[in-house]
Amino acid sequence: MTQPIWGPVQQEMSDILQRHPDDVPGVVDQLAKLQEVLCQVPPLLHGNPLADFNKLYLTITENVLERLYAGKFKDPAFLARLDVEFAARYFDALRYWTEGSPACPGVWAGLFCRVPGPDARPLPSAVAGVNAHINFDLPFALVTTFDHLGSDPVDGSDQHHDYLQVNDIFAEEIPGLRRGYLDRWQLLIDTMNGDLDDWWQGEMVEYTRNVAWRNAQKIWALRHDMIELDKERRRLDKTATGLGKLLLSPFGEFLQ
């Protein structure tokens, strides 16, 4: 008999992934429940590499929710819908992997298969998850969001402004999140580097999200051509998968 992917919490994981949240509070709730379950997956438990990414994702989403409540977005309906569509792609990838479905994107499979360990490192694992979610999921989440709202991905629009505002959330959260993944001796080196590490990682997030916006505009233009759309999906998955392998390779130790 094949060992369940998630071991003793297989059923809990399956139950969580049976539905999609339909608002941002629901996304936060589902991410929090996932975090609890992921930290119970043997043999790494709290050292689970997917839990490292999920923790980061939960923190960013909580910040988005706070800004929505505070009325800081020009088009809150857009930002809220994007958050829901974005999360749905992560939850779908997890569900596919849990069910053993070949529909699981390659970039996510590359991280999911590291869950048993033993060589997963916290910071590279979290960054590999960010790579999968931004470089692959985000362009398609943008397209489904604009399609749902009946608008277009236009530079300089209120929606684009709100999209860029999420970069500020990353900039606020990255320093604390990144240091939470470091060992004591690494924290000493980090202190010696000053703000340099925080700066370049913030720059990378901003650049990557700008590329995702451009890719969404490209996909938007060909969204009714199923053949070309599938080619673009395969291309983005292949590119993100290659980067994910690099991040999870010994090279990724430099991130830690």
Side-chain angles (χ1 to χ4, degrees):
M1 182 177 178
T2 304
Q3 180 71 18
I5 293 171
W6 304 111
V9 293
Q10 180 79 12
Q11 188 59 54
E12 289 93 327
M13 181 65 78
S14 296
D15 291 344
I16 290 173
L17 299 172
Q18 286 306 305
R19 64 178 184 85
H20 282 163
D22 55 10
D23 55 25
V24 182
V27 172
V28 169
D29 181 65
Q30 188 146 324
L31 288 171
K33 289 177 179 177
L34 272 175
Q35 191 67 20
E36 292 179 6
V37 171
L38 287 170
C39 289
Q40 299 176 53
V41 177
L44 299 180
L45 304 178
H46 289 274
N48 182 331
L50 185 56
D52 292 320
F53 163 72
N54 196 83
K55 178 176 68 174
L56 181 155
Y57 189 18
L58 173 58
T59 300
I60 297 296
T61 307
E62 287 173 333
N63 195 313
V64 169
L65 182 58
E66 289 175 4
R67 291 187 179 222
L68 281 168
Y69 284 151
K72 294 186 177 181
F73 295 107
K74 291 185 176 181
D75 188 344
F78 161 77
L79 209 289
R81 186 70 194 187
L82 176 59
D83 195 279
V84 168
E85 295 289 349
F86 194 31
R89 301 190 68 83
Y90 169 52
F91 297 144
D92 279 344
L94 263 173
R95 179 169 53 81
Y96 292 142
W97 183 256
T98 300
E99 296 171 351
S101 169
C104 181
V107 64
W108 278 118
L111 177 58
F112 295 161
C113 71
R114 304 293 284 263
V115 168
D119 58 345
R121 299 286 287 165
L123 187 55
S125 297
V127 176
V130 172
N131 163 62
H133 210 28
I134 294 180
N135 286 323
F136 180 68
D137 289 343
L138 185 51
F140 295 101
L142 280 163
V143 169
T144 54
T145 297
F146 281 113
D147 188 54
H148 176 82
L149 297 176
S151 54
D152 302 302
V154 178
D155 291 354
S157 62
D158 287 349
Q159 293 84 6
H160 191 212
H161 172 274
D162 289 346
Y163 177 81
L164 294 177
Q165 190 179 151
V166 177
N167 294 342
D168 298 335
I169 296 176
F170 274 95
E172 289 177 8
E173 299 290 354
I174 279 177
L177 286 167
R178 186 173 59 79
R179 292 182 180 94
Y181 296 122
L182 302 182
D183 297 326
R184 184 175 299 177
W185 66 271
Q186 293 167 328
L187 284 170
L188 177 61
I189 295 175
D190 183 78
T191 301
M192 294 170 62
N193 286 337
D195 295 331
L196 179 62
D197 291 341
D198 298 331
W199 173 81
W200 80 260
Q201 288 181 359
E203 289 293 304
M204 284 303 298
V205 168
E206 182 174 345
Y207 170 79
T208 304
R209 294 188 79 254
N210 285 340
V211 171
W213 178 267
R214 299 299 172 206
N215 282 329
Q217 290 177 319
K218 180 179 180 180
I219 294 169
W220 181 257
L222 53 80
R223 67 190 183 284
H224 299 305
D225 187 331
M226 293 299 103
I227 294 177
E228 290 301 315
L229 183 62
D230 186 60
K231 286 182 180 179
E232 187 64 12
R233 180 178 290 105
R234 291 174 183 272
R235 182 187 72 83
L236 290 177
D237 191 13
K238 181 178 180 181
T239 301
T241 298
L243 180 55
K245 288 179 179 178
L246 182 63
L247 291 168
L248 293 169
S249 73
F251 172 80
E253 293 293 324
F254 288 106
L255 286 173
Q256 188 73 12

